[in-house]
Amino acid sequence: MKTTDRAALDDWYAVETAADLTATPVRTRLLGQDIELFRDAAGAPVIREILDDGGRGPALPVEERYGCVFTTLGRPNRGIVEIAEAAEPDRRFVPCGWVTMRASGLRVVENFLDMAHFPFVHTDILGSEPHTEVPHYLSEIRRDVDEVWATNCTFFQPRIAATEDKGDYVHLTYRVPSPFVVMLYRVCPTAPDRLDAIALFIQPLEEDLCRAQPVMYLVDSVSTQTALLRFEQVIFLQDRIIVENQRPLLLPLEPRAEIPTRADSSSIAYRRWLKEKGLRFGTTAGAA
């Protein structure tokens, strides 16, 4: 059933890879609502809600950005997230494909923010023992842009990028521009004065079911497309095992529902931000 949560409805969501959308209609779901997508005779994307009687509702707002098709079921008060790196012509654009997960999309965002799991889930890729401590970093809700940021993040990684086979401490910055979009900026090994940008777009199908696609904008003229895809997909599929085994599947926003540690600073800020927005979809409060 389509949610009534205005905080969830009034936002933009990536729901398909633009290159995969054709004149043949495809069905998917968004926020509990069945929708249909296709390209019209002029090649423009069209998205409509599928009504209870099988009919089609009026065309929904649609935009193509970052290699994806975006839509909304509500009335967003701002546009799709701005990713400045997408406009830099020398960057590699790597859409990594959709992965479906039996979990709240908010759990997926929180997992993306979590550095503490690197040595145990992404062993010998993003982390390794004995380098398990998460150094102190800064988390904040930036009121001027209404986003969550985590800065001054550092962590030891055995492979700091797909182009590298040596380990080092990497500098990371996390950004959450909307509840179901999260970004990572990391120093590029081949261009230390620039940052690679990785965005994770999440399509919340149901409260406890979502699919997500990482999209990367990299300064990398060396790696093959296959190597880049494999590097990111291995990491993401490892994450899926963890996310799908978390209980509850929905994200608790109540204080002390889950005991945080010092490493969970970004999660604490994220949950506070969601609660301030009144978001219920995908949370234990919404299921109550």
Side-chain angles (χ1 to χ4, degrees), residues 23 29 32 102 139 189 259 285:
R29 286 177 73 79
R102 174 56 71 181
S139 297
I259 300 174

Side-chain angles (χ1 to χ4, degrees), residues 117-131 156-160 164-167 231 235 238:
H117 78 283
F118 287 174
F120 310 105
V121 179
H122 309 299
T123 307
D124 297 331
I125 303 176
L126 298 185
S128 64
E129 298 186 71
H131 305 283
F156 180 85
Q157 294 187 342
R159 289 192 62 194
I160 59 178
E164 305 296 314
D165 57 7
K166 66 180 186 301
F231 183 80
I235 292 169
Q238 290 172 336

Side-chain angles (χ1 to χ4, degrees), residues 65-66 78-86 109 112-113 138-140 142 145-151 153 172-186 197-201 266 270 273:
R65 296 189 71 177
Y66 315 128
R78 62 179 183 175
I80 297 167
V81 55
E82 290 294 332
I83 302 176
E85 292 77 11
V109 171
F112 192 94
L113 294 171
L138 174 65
S139 297
E140 60 181 330
R142 295 190 177 178
V145 291
D146 190 24
E147 298 181 354
V148 176
W149 283 72
T151 55
C153 305
L172 309 171
T173 297
Y174 292 90
R175 172 193 179 198
V176 187
S178 72
F180 292 92
V181 176
V182 59
M183 293 195 63
L184 167 66
Y185 300 93
R186 68 186 181 199
I198 302 172
L200 184 65
F201 299 128
S266 58
Y270 176 58
W273 183 64

Side-chain angles (χ1 to χ4, degrees), residues 74-97:
R75 298 179 296 276
N77 59 13
R78 62 179 183 175
I80 297 167
V81 55
E82 290 294 332
I83 302 176
E85 292 77 11
E88 298 175 4
D90 65 329
R91 287 183 179 267
R92 297 278 298 277
F93 169 58
V94 187
C96 299

Side-chain angles (χ1 to χ4, degrees), residues 184-206:
L184 167 66
Y185 300 93
R186 68 186 181 199
V187 173
C188 173
T190 58
D193 59 333
R194 302 177 72 185
L195 301 177
D196 285 333
I198 302 172
L200 184 65
F201 299 128
I202 297 169
Q203 177 186 350
L205 304 167
E206 304 283 356

Side-chain angles (χ1 to χ4, degrees), residues 204-233:
L205 304 167
E206 304 283 356
E207 296 226 53
D208 60 356
L209 182 67
C210 68
R211 64 178 196 148
Q213 172 165 222
V215 171
M216 304 191 293
Y217 290 95
L218 309 178
V219 183
D220 182 345
S221 59
V222 177
S223 301
T224 65
Q225 197 81 350
T226 300
L228 293 172
L229 281 171
R230 184 179 184 281
F231 183 80
E232 192 65 25
Q233 288 177 351

Side-chain angles (χ1 to χ4, degrees), residues 237-266:
L237 291 173
Q238 290 172 336
D239 279 328
R240 182 173 69 175
I241 297 171
I242 300 304
V243 171
E244 291 190 332
N245 280 282
Q246 288 181 302
R247 293 295 181 270
L249 294 175
L250 305 183
L251 185 70
L253 298 184
E254 302 81 6
R256 295 179 295 278
E258 294 178 339
I259 300 174
T261 67
R262 187 186 69 176
D264 297 321
S265 170
S266 58

